[in-house]
Amino acid sequence: MKIGVDLDDVIAVCAVPYLKRFAQEYKVQLPDEKEIGWHLLREMDEHVSPDERDRFRLRLYDGTFFSQLDIYQDCPIVLERLVQNGHEIYFVTARAERRRMVTETWLREKRILDYAKAVHLKPHGEFNPDYPRGRYDPESSAQYKTRLAQELRLDVFCEDDVLISRTLADAGIRVLLFDHPWNRDVKHDRVTRVSGWAEAGTLLGV
Ligand SMILES: [Mg+2]
């Protein structure tokens, strides 16, 4: 099988450290760690404006954030078994192409870069120029990932984003949806919710 694998919140523990830094900077309260997620940012309008949130995101991503993320503990062993069983892994992220160096260096440090046939980041031209710079743009990311999944003829895609998983599934691609507080509403015939890498591995037969 050819398997697409998203990075942030599928391989990398991302939303929790992001929101913690955000809360520290703007002195806002966060719920219990299990409920921390991207959905909370949408509720911050009265504390932090959308424009200021965009600036925070760019500042954070231009710093050391991506090089300091942890990975989910059972991810490397499952990736290793998938490759040993003859499957092909493609890392597909909506991080901008200009973040390739920090991304690949980090993947190498975590000893998982070599499991992937290729690492695909979102090229500059895939970004919607009318969209505010620095703002998370799931529409263009969903289009990008779905087109790439079709070009690469991926059989299954490991993803956490709501719109991206729905768009992939609508295009006929099977999705393993990594369970997070922000994606609990997603229900689709081709989407299977998994609690993490152990369950994903079991469903993929390793
Ligand atoms: Mg993600």
Side-chain angles (χ1 to χ4, degrees), residues 20-205:
K20 283 185 174 174
R21 289 278 291 275
F22 185 92
Q24 202 177 23
E25 176 127 348
Y26 298 106
K27 313 223 172 346
V28 293
Q29 291 291 321
L30 290 179
D32 184 78
E33 188 155 321
K34 290 193 301 294
E35 296 308 316
I36 290 178
W38 301 113
H39 58 298
L40 298 174
L41 289 173
R42 291 194 300 268
E43 300 157 15
M44 296 281 178
D45 279 3
E46 57 184 285
H47 306 290
V48 187
S49 73
D51 287 353
E52 179 56 28
R53 298 204 296 268
D54 297 344
R55 286 192 287 274
F56 172 82
R57 186 165 185 263
L58 279 174
R59 231 167 32 236
L60 197 69
Y61 285 4
D62 285 341
T64 55
F65 181 74
F66 282 132
S67 57
Q68 292 176 338
L69 295 180
D70 290 326
I71 60 174
Y72 287 99
Q73 207 188 349
D74 42 5
C75 168
I77 184 72
V78 176
L79 292 180
E80 184 183 351
R81 285 182 189 147
L82 288 168
V83 172
Q84 278 171 354
N85 279 263
H87 300 299
E88 290 183 2
I89 310 278
Y90 295 84
F91 293 150
V92 181
T93 175
R95 290 185 190 180
E97 177 64 44
R98 70 178 189 280
R99 309 206 187 277
R100 179 174 290 279
M101 183 72 95
V102 63
T103 298
E104 290 192 353
T105 303
W106 173 82
L107 287 165
R108 192 175 294 115
E109 270 175 26
K110 298 296 178 189
R111 300 175 182 277
I112 55 174
L113 179 65
D114 290 343
Y115 295 135
K117 278 271 190 199
V119 182
H120 292 277
L121 295 94
K122 193 171 159 188
H124 185 68
E126 299 282 348
F127 285 84
N128 178 355
D130 300 329
Y131 213 72
R133 192 167 179 276
R135 192 164 303 177
Y136 181 60
D137 175 11
E139 283 85 8
S140 72
S141 297
Q143 296 310 316
Y144 163 63
K145 286 190 177 184
T146 302
R147 192 172 60 251
L148 193 63
Q150 288 171 327
E151 280 171 18
L152 295 170
R153 301 183 179 279
L154 301 182
D155 301 289
V156 55
F157 205 110
C158 300
E159 180 57 58
D160 68 286
D161 180 85
V162 171
L163 184 71
I164 296 171
S165 41
R166 282 197 186 118
T167 310
L168 286 163
D170 283 342
I173 294 147
R174 193 177 149 211
V175 175
L176 297 185
L177 180 70
F178 279 61
D179 181 64
H180 286 291
W182 57 87
N183 63 30
R184 299 263 153 81
D185 291 342
V186 179
K187 286 190 182 62
H188 194 292
D189 287 347
R190 277 186 285 270
V191 173
T192 308
R193 184 175 297 275
V194 294
S195 58
W197 278 100
E199 196 177 354
T202 304
L203 285 170
L204 294 168

